Amino acid sequence: MTQSLRELLLRRLNQAFWLFLLMSLAGWGAWRFSRLATPANEPMPTNRIDQEFQQLHLQSITSLDSSVNQLRLAVMSGESETVLLALTEQLRQQAQEVALLSSSRETVLAPHSSVIQPLLLDQCQQFRQLLHRKASVRLLSQHLAEFQSQVRHLQYRVAGNDHP
């Protein structure tokens, strides 16, 4: 009887050992699996897309600002009306790009940017009209300064520095 009791005890001990080993492996596997999940402090893909969109938007605004500067210098240096009209068309296209980016971004980030689209394009149209009316260099330069001020204000808002 002691022999069968000993065998039964060894079998139970053997079963307990393997059960403990399997449970340990299962726990270790669960721990490893949980480490594969995305940590909470890692930025979500949506945030990355928003940041990339914001960078694209800021680049287009910076390009528009640079074009306004270029046009201002052309006005100050007395370039021909043909050159000024070509630069104005380039400026209009860039303003349209910025306006489209602003309007597509407005639903999420800047609810007041719906005003931007007509404002930027109106500024280009007004400048073209001033050119056709043969306005003075001072008046053209003043108009471009106001336009550039609006562009830089938009850049400030898009960069996230404006907290209404």
Side-chain angles (χ1 to χ4, degrees), residues 9-29:
L9 185 60
L10 281 175
R11 266 192 231 144
R12 295 289 180 217
L13 196 57
N14 193 12
Q15 287 174 347
F17 170 76
W18 287 111
L19 182 62
F20 175 74
L21 185 63
L22 285 174
M23 288 176 55
S24 297
L25 284 173
W28 179 77

Side-chain angles (χ1 to χ4, degrees), residues 28-29 42 47 56 63 75 118 124 130 134 143 151 153 155:
W28 179 77
E42 188 172 305
N47 292 339
L56 175 67
S63 177
V75 166
C124 292
L130 288 173
K134 309 283 188 212
H143 181 81
V151 169
H153 178 70
Q155 184 175 24

